[in-house]
């Protein structure tokens, strides 16, 4: 079984529509693919339809933006009930703060670069899911940078004057909200130092106490030391580890299936979810 639990579609910052994503998953020989668009469940329906038709199993979920002391923390929620009001409200608030923050960043960028809010917003599925990758696409289209990576190394860096933080919840609170909605919380790329300062182990321990189900250990942004650290901490906490590609289509070099989750871990996680694997 080839299981890749963490991918993105055009409903957030991926470049494949959910149907294209499912087709790509099939072509990559995956048995199971997880759709984890940032802060939204809007792609679930199209993905489910495509997965049924293609004979690929689909784990519906969301990658939730959270923040601990100014550090961005991504929490995957697998198989939550999308109608549960608490988590639905959390996602709605994240979308609102995402749009507000994106408008602020684009305003700053537009002072120095030839891009507009209209141009950036048009590159996202809707204004509530605009992220820095869409700003990068606008900068690339304007000929300022050759690709997303270069734009992230430049003005989209989290350390520069154009950056505005997302106003999003605490990761421990988010774990509780995911569990309350019957979702299965998995901490995405926890020790990806390339993305900036990472979480202290104590915060991961607090997330585990709040109901965290697993740590993503095998991820391209984890070097061997980060993978080993994730495994050791997960073992201490009695939690399994997952592996995934974090595929974004052509928006990132990540290839489907480049990291995988063990079948027994997959079975243990999906048994905890409120909605079925399609
Ligand atoms: P945001 O949530 O708007 O702050 O943007 C962060 C998102 O940008 C992450 O979820 C990644 O998917 C994406 N990202 C981060 N670094 C890069 C990069 N170098 N190239 C393309 N996408 C990136
Ligand atoms: Fe992303
Ligand atoms: Fe992420
Ligand atoms: Zn992701």
């Amino acid at each position: 079984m080839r299981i890749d639990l963490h991918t993105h579609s055009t409903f957030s910052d991926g470049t494949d529509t959910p149907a294209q994503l499912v087709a790509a998953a099939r072509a990559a020989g995956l048995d199971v693919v997880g759709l984890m668009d940032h802060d939204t469940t809007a792609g679930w329906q199209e993905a489910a339809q495509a997965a049924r038709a293609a004979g690929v199993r689909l784990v519906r979920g969301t990658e939730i933006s959270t923040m601990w002391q100014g550090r961005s923390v991504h929490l995957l929620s697998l198989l939550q009930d999308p109608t549960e009001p608490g988590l639905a409200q959390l996602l709605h608030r994240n979308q609102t703060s995402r749009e507000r923050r994106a408008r602020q960043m684009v305003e700053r960028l537009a002072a120095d670069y030839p891009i507009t809010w209209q141009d950036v917003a048009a590159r996202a599925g809707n204004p509530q899911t605009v992220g820095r990758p869409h700003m990068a696409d606008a900068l690339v289209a304007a000929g300022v940078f050759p690709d997303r990576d270069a734009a992230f190394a430049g003005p989209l860096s989290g350390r520069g004057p154009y950056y505005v933080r997302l106003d999003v919840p605490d990761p421990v609170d988010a774990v509780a909200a995911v569990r309350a909605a019957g979702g299965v919380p998995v901490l995405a790329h926890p020790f990806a130092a390339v993305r900036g300062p990472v979480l202290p182990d104590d915060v991961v321990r607090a997330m585990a106490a709040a109901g965290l189900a697993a740590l993503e250990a095998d991820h391209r942004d984890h070097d061997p030391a980060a993978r080993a650290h994730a495994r050791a901490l997960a073992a201490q906490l009695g939690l399994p580890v997952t592996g995934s590609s974090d595929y974004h289509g052509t928006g990132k070099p990540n290839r489907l299936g480049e990291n995988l989750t063990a079948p027994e871990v997959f079975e243990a996680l999906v048994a905890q979810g409120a909605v079925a694997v399609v």
Side-chain angles (χ1 to χ4, degrees):
M1 285 248 283
R2 286 170 54 80
I3 301 156
D4 184 346
L5 291 178
H6 177 176
T7 72
H8 296 266
S9 79
T10 47
F11 279 85
S12 62
D13 56 348
T15 58
D16 288 0
T17 64
Q20 289 167 338
L21 171 69
V22 167
R26 194 192 157 93
L30 294 182
D31 301 288
V32 180
V33 66
L35 176 67
M36 302 289 145
D37 280 316
H38 297 284
D39 297 316
T40 183
T41 58
W44 282 21
Q45 202 183 349
E46 181 185 328
Q49 230 166 19
R52 284 188 195 99
V56 174
R57 295 180 74 196
L58 172 73
V59 174
R60 292 166 287 179
T62 304
E63 184 169 18
I64 303 174
S65 308
T66 76
M67 192 73 81
W68 182 82
Q69 295 201 356
R71 302 178 189 189
S72 163
V73 179
H74 286 177
L75 181 69
L76 303 172
S77 171
L78 280 51
L79 302 170
Q80 75 269 23
D81 171 1
T83 68
E84 191 277 322
L87 187 58
Q89 269 164 33
L90 185 157
L91 294 181
H92 182 74
R93 281 196 301 272
N94 274 14
Q95 291 170 13
T96 305
S97 67
R98 200 166 253 295
E99 176 173 358
R100 188 174 56 234
R101 174 273 205 151
R103 286 180 182 273
Q104 288 170 345
M105 277 193 73
V106 172
E107 198 176 305
R108 294 181 184 187
L109 288 162
D112 293 326
Y113 297 97
I115 62 168
T116 64
W117 170 252
Q118 283 71 23
D119 182 23
V120 172
R123 294 171 192 282
N126 66 60
Q128 290 81 45
T129 55
V130 179
R132 284 182 287 162
H134 307 105
M135 302 172 206
D137 290 345
L139 290 165
V140 171
V144 185
F145 294 101
D147 52 31
R148 278 185 179 183
D149 231 25
F152 267 87
L156 299 182
S157 147
R159 296 170 183 92
Y162 304 100
Y163 184 72
V164 178
R165 268 184 204 166
L166 272 170
D167 178 18
V168 290
D170 174 88
V172 178
D173 296 341
V175 167
V178 168
R179 282 293 189 189
V184 186
V186 177
L187 181 53
H189 44 72
F191 304 117
V194 290
R195 293 169 177 250
V198 300
L199 272 186
D201 288 356
D202 278 347
V203 180
V204 181
R205 286 193 186 94
M207 293 174 78
L212 189 67
L215 270 61
E216 192 177 58
D218 292 321
H219 184 288
R220 147 183 310 251
D221 293 350
H222 278 175
D223 63 16
R227 292 178 192 221
H229 183 63
R231 283 199 157 75
L233 182 57
Q236 269 181 31
L237 297 169
L239 298 178
V241 297
T242 65
S244 26
S245 66
D246 206 355
Y247 173 77
H248 282 66
T250 59
K252 280 187 169 188
N254 310 32
R255 294 299 92 197
L256 282 168
E258 68 178 26
N259 287 294
L260 297 169
T261 294
E264 60 274 16
V265 173
F266 166 70
E267 296 299 345
L269 294 178
V270 301
Q272 302 170 41
V275 303
V277 177
V278 174

